[in-house]
Amino acid sequence: MAHSEDAANLVSRAHAQAADDAIGRYRAVRKASEALTRSLTAEDQLAQSMPDASPTKWHLAHTTWFFETFLLVPRLAGYKPFDPRFGYLFNSYYEALGARQPRPARGLLTRPSLADVIAYRAHVDAGMVRLLAQGAGDVADLLALGLAHEEQHQELILMDILHLFAQSPLHPTYAPPRWAPIGQQPSAMGYVDIDGGLVEIGHDGDGFAFDNETPRHRVFLEPYRLADRLVTNGEWQAFMADGGYRRAEFWLSEGWATVQAEGWRAPFYWQEIDGAWMSMTLHGLRPVDPAAPVVHVSYFEADAYASWAGARLPSEAEWEHAAAGRPVSGHFFGGGRINPTVAADGQGLRQLFGDVWEWTRSAYSPYPGFRPAAGAVGEYNGKFMAGQFVLRGGACVTPPGHVRATYRNFFYPHQRWMFSGVRLAKDAEPGRGSSFADDVVEGLAKPQKALPPKYFYDAEGSRLFEAICDLPEYYPTRTEVALLGKAAPEIAAFVPEGAALVEFGSGASTKTRLLLDAAPQVAVYAPIDLDYPAMTVAPLTEDFTRALRLPAAVTGHPVMGFFPGSTIGNFTPEEARRFLEGARELLGPGAAFLVGIDLVKSEADLVAAYDDAQGVTAAFNKNLLRRMNRELDGNFDLDAFAHRARWNAADSRIEMHLESLRDQTVKVAGRVFHFAQGETLHTENSCKFTVEGFAGLAAAAGWRLERAWDSAQPAFALVLLRA
Ligand code: SAH
Ligand code: AVI
């Protein structure tokens, strides 16, 4: 008896607790909406600036109508609607619930007054508290929907107010200008490689989700690459400066027609004032921050930008697969700053959640097996599945806690007043990375035009490189060969019996022979190079920065890596770190790795080595132009560019550039690029190291320095790393 009383008490206490929690959640969301109106006058809250936007007062009333219509009227015995005429005024789009005030005429509703709407909210709130106190469990799903719905309108209030204020010559400020100082440019955009395959997307039913996120289902993804951060205003300005809004070749036909009809020449809220770009924001009219993510761009613009940048937009499945399981943290509404923030420095995917909604290339359509809910709430999402595109991740005006990895927002491709921005994606070419054409388009679109040095090595480039190695000025090859000849017996002691020697960028394998001669215990030779396909035992003809597995012949052998020639100096320090990490995984635990590094020396010797008297290095450099002409239908005039080799002391590297000798326009990869006189195409870095500096770099990638051999002038070193 006593026991069952206790049990009954426990159950009723749990019910009371659940009811209290539900009331608490309800009140918090309702209050948050009202808090958004604090800085608004009654006039601000009545005006409607365009048919797509609604007055704040209407949002406040409509969200209230939602609770009244879907919860109180059917569920709370004795509930009396505040005013039966409100059903007509504040029904948004529910056909099942009858006629309604036309959307573009919401701003004409001077009655009810704002005070009446506030009283309406109080009346419905009192009803909701009574309903929830009776038992929150029965209405839990509808309550969650009503609250998520109200949170969507909180974001709409902010979007719509910004649009309204942007019409005002006074540039009103919605929130105090807590404007962070102009951010540092984020690090260069990188791409994260994602395997894809058969993956699942969609909500799994655990916790609240909108119906459009269901059912969870399988999708096949080809391998793809996702940009590690959002596109910035600075990058967008480069697109504008390159005629982005004037060149039809980047645009979808409908997008191009819209550009013409609307006269678009910049993102939605940008204004050019005295030669400087300013943007209307919720903090008033502010200078465009080049480091911050671009915002208020349409799908058409996002797509055009991606074409210009040699990339594409991600599909929603690609986006979700990459975002799944990551913490939903980022810059959402709150904390004073209502603007997208600059990407944090760092690795991997950043800014996935918050800041700006990210356009995807996916049409907003039902998932396989999608069924709208029964009754009028079934009109919530499903009936809008035509002609719109999906956006992912939430924005700085989205309430915190509102979105998740499966969340699908959607807008028409011409719309721009929402906080929408761009993350780029690319197709992966399995094993090869991006294509030559993609890299050329991307590299020539950068403010400092640049190409990855790996494209030097077509057959002619490899021949020229071998000629460079014989030049009197090019000391590295001769020096490393001599050093290797001397150190080979000692190095051989580190080579295990039956070892597989994996060489990166083997070229003609001249240096390898010195090592193989001294270490007959090597059983398998596995060179990885873009060129020299069928050379030796188990060659991999691929990009060594992307090699994911070794040839089968290596299996079962202890592994030693070999990377001579200071080719590692052709990476930036960040690329070198990433390469060394990848090599550690590829070569496996306990592997040894012998790396040749060129050491810092006098500027005169360095410049001479990269600008030889016979002009072989110049020919090697210009061969890149020849290659683009041949493979990418380019029309570079080789005589209109000059070879330059410069010592960059700050970054401790020799840089090779091709300098344009006149103003010119070049066509390549189906695109047109302008070169000003004196502008350069940066074609190679060749970093010069100290042994200690290099050991630090290797340590950051998980390698320990075990031994080093170095030569006197010209200084060069062979370092032996251990995983
Ligand atoms: N190891 C030789 C050749 C160095 S030249 C030496 O020390 O003399 C650089 C070599 O690396 C070239 O043969 C080039 O084809 C290759 N290479 C450059 N970048 C590469 C990449 N990303 N993947 C695979 N091979 C690459
Ligand atoms: C392959 N690599 C290490 C050479 C270097 O010295 O950076 C390529 C080269 N560039 C000009 N000359 C040689």
Side-chain angles (χ1 to χ4, degrees):
M1 186 73 186
H3 271 116
S4 67
E5 247 175 37
D6 282 355
N9 274 341
L10 271 178
V11 168
S12 79
R13 273 228 305 279
H15 278 189
Q17 186 60 50
D20 280 355
D21 289 351
I23 291 169
R25 263 183 293 128
Y26 175 83
R27 285 205 163 114
V29 172
R30 299 283 286 170
K31 271 214 188 90
S33 304
E34 286 146 22
L36 293 177
T37 67
R38 250 183 240 141
S39 66
L40 301 177
T41 65
E43 292 85 351
D44 293 335
Q45 297 189 57
L46 170 64
Q48 180 174 24
S49 54
M50 65 162 169
D52 281 343
S54 300
T56 305
K57 185 175 81 175
W58 188 90
H59 286 298
L60 293 176
H62 162 72
T63 48
T64 306
W65 166 87
F66 191 96
F67 285 112
E68 180 172 73
T69 307
F70 292 112
L71 283 115
L72 296 180
V73 170
R75 306 283 181 132
L76 181 62
Y79 176 76
K80 264 225 157 78
F82 182 78
D83 184 329
R85 295 169 306 173
F86 282 15
Y88 177 84
L89 298 181
F90 300 123
N91 172 5
S92 49
Y93 51 66
Y94 295 86
E95 299 292 344
L97 299 173
R100 69 210 76 97
Q101 172 77 353
R103 184 185 166 111
R106 289 173 183 166
L108 304 180
L109 299 175
T110 55
R111 307 297 172 91
S113 66
L114 181 59
D116 288 341
V117 167
I118 291 167
Y120 177 38
R121 287 181 72 88
H123 176 84
V124 165
D125 288 352
M128 282 300 296
V129 169
R130 264 186 289 139
L131 176 69
L132 296 175
Q134 285 172 10
D138 305 343
V139 293
D141 289 350
L142 278 170
L143 175 67
L145 179 64
L147 294 178
H149 169 253
E150 180 133 359
E151 286 177 343
Q152 290 183 314
H153 280 272
Q154 290 167 2
E155 178 164 341
L156 287 164
I157 287 174
L158 294 167
M159 285 158 55
D160 294 354
I161 278 293
L162 173 57
H163 188 265
L164 176 67
F165 283 5
Q167 313 311 309
S168 165
L170 301 181
H171 308 302
T173 295
Y174 169 79
R178 263 195 240 161
W179 194 255
I182 300 284
Q184 279 236 319
Q185 270 300 330
S187 45
M189 182 187 290
Y191 283 85
V192 173
D193 294 293
I194 302 174
D195 288 343
L198 195 59
V199 305
E200 284 192 4
I201 65 160
H203 198 259
D204 60 11
D206 195 14
F208 174 77
F210 286 111
D211 56 359
N212 63 3
E213 297 165 60
T214 65
R216 191 163 171 86
H217 61 285
R218 288 170 305 169
V219 177
F220 184 79
L221 300 178
E222 294 293 346
Y224 62 106
R225 315 182 72 203
L226 198 58
D228 60 2
R229 62 162 173 77
L230 298 166
V231 169
T232 63
N233 289 321
E235 288 160 340
W236 199 271
Q237 280 169 300
F239 166 68
M240 289 161 54
D242 196 29
Y245 283 92
R246 298 189 305 275
R247 293 166 62 183
E249 71 244 46
F250 306 132
W251 295 81
L252 292 163
S253 166
E254 228 179 286
W256 185 238
T258 312
V259 169
Q260 307 300 299
E262 303 293 328
W264 288 351
R265 54 187 285 262
F268 195 32
Y269 290 125
W270 288 25
Q271 302 174 30
E272 200 172 14
I273 300 176
D274 298 332
W277 284 106
M278 305 286 287
S279 178
M280 188 58 190
T281 74
L282 286 166
H283 300 287
L285 189 65
R286 296 274 140 192
V288 167
D289 180 348
V294 70
V295 62
H296 301 296
V297 291
S298 63
Y299 177 83
F300 292 139
E301 289 162 291
D303 181 78
Y305 180 90
S307 310
W308 172 80
R312 61 170 174 82
L313 298 176
S315 72
E316 64 168 322
E318 288 173 335
W319 192 97
E320 183 173 327
H321 177 58
R326 290 170 189 269
V328 185
S329 59
H331 179 47
F332 291 105
F333 182 72
R337 186 165 180 196
I338 322 178
N339 248 73
T341 48
V342 176
D345 259 350
Q347 302 269 297
L349 296 171
R350 283 160 284 151
Q351 299 177 304
L352 275 170
F353 294 103
D355 289 307
V356 299
W357 287 100
E358 301 178 21
W359 279 112
T360 75
R361 55 148 65 168
S362 298
Y364 178 50
S365 59
Y367 283 164
F370 171 72
R371 298 267 174 285
V377 278
E379 292 185 46
Y380 199 95
N381 276 311
K383 72 181 192 182
F384 298 108
M385 292 175 173
Q388 310 204 50
F389 284 85
V390 174
L391 299 93
R392 295 298 197 120
C396 55
V397 282
T398 308
H402 180 70
V403 294
R404 49 207 155 258
T406 57
Y407 196 102
R408 307 173 81 198
N409 198 355
F410 47 92
F411 282 96
Y412 289 98
H414 66 275
Q415 289 178 317
R416 314 209 281 171
W417 96 110
M418 62 288 184
F419 283 67
S420 48
V422 187
R423 179 185 302 274
L424 299 176
K426 288 184 174 188
D427 299 326
E429 274 185 34
R432 278 236 157 228
S434 49
S435 69
F436 187 29
D438 284 352
D439 283 347
V440 166
V441 169
E442 183 183 329
L444 295 187
K446 288 180 177 160
Q448 165 64 68
K449 295 181 170 69
L451 288 175
K454 67 177 182 180
Y455 292 115
F456 281 135
Y457 302 96
D458 60 356
E460 175 64 1
S462 298
R463 193 192 63 74
L464 284 164
F465 176 72
E466 280 166 43
I468 287 175
C469 294
D470 292 334
L471 291 168
E473 298 96 330
Y474 193 72
Y475 62 86
T477 309
R478 211 169 303 115
T479 314
E480 190 181 30
V481 165
L483 184 60
L484 198 54
K486 247 198 320 212
E490 282 177 32
I491 293 170
F494 290 93
V495 180
E497 205 45 53
L501 186 73
V502 177
E503 181 169 355
F504 297 84
S506 42
S509 300
T510 340
K511 293 167 186 165
T512 332
R513 279 168 224 282
L514 292 171
L515 203 56
L516 294 179
D517 288 348
Q521 67 271 39
V522 170
V524 179
Y525 174 48
I528 313 177
D529 203 296
L530 296 164
D531 202 12
Y532 300 95
M535 165 128 201
T536 2
V537 185
L540 278 182
T541 307
E542 65 182 33
D543 186 326
F544 55 50
T545 61
R546 300 181 51 82
L548 294 175
R549 62 185 75 80
L550 294 172
V554 171
T555 315
H557 294 268
V559 175
M560 172 137 178
F562 185 36
F563 195 19
S566 202
T567 301
I568 197 157
N570 296 139
F571 293 131
T572 62
E574 178 48 31
E575 289 165 347
R577 200 193 51 73
R578 249 185 273 153
F579 166 80
L580 285 167
E581 263 178 9
R584 191 165 52 83
E585 271 178 34
L586 186 71
L587 300 175
F593 195 12
L594 184 66
V595 184
I597 54 171
D598 193 11
L599 302 178
V600 181
K601 50 185 66 62
S602 84
E603 178 169 352
D605 287 350
L606 284 167
V607 171
Y610 290 82
D611 195 5
D612 61 281
Q614 295 171 53
V616 182
T617 310
F620 175 69
N621 201 1
K622 284 193 182 183
N623 179 53
L624 201 50
L625 303 179
R626 208 188 290 272
R627 181 173 182 184
M628 287 191 276
N629 285 350
R630 193 179 56 244
E631 294 183 28
L632 303 177
D633 195 23
N635 64 354
F636 284 95
D637 173 359
L638 271 62
D639 294 330
F641 288 86
H643 167 68
R644 301 279 181 243
R646 299 179 188 154
W647 172 240
N648 173 341
D651 295 319
S652 190
R653 68 191 191 204
I654 284 278
E655 294 181 4
M656 295 208 311
H657 292 253
L658 289 162
E659 183 180 323
S660 174
L661 296 175
R662 50 176 158 84
D663 277 343
Q664 53 183 321
T665 295
V666 177
K667 192 194 82 186
V668 62
R671 290 275 302 274
V672 171
F673 298 96
H674 306 281
F675 285 81
Q677 181 172 3
E679 185 180 359
T680 69
L681 168 60
H682 184 178
T683 52
E684 188 183 63
N685 292 318
S686 199
C687 296
K688 305 301 163 188
F689 302 95
T690 61
V691 172
E692 304 69 48
F694 184 75
L697 186 66
W703 290 95
R704 181 168 55 79
L705 178 74
E706 196 159 283
R707 258 305 284 275
W709 297 264
D710 60 2
S711 70
Q713 292 306 327
F716 198 96
L718 282 161
V719 296
L720 188 84
L721 306 176
R722 181 72 67 182

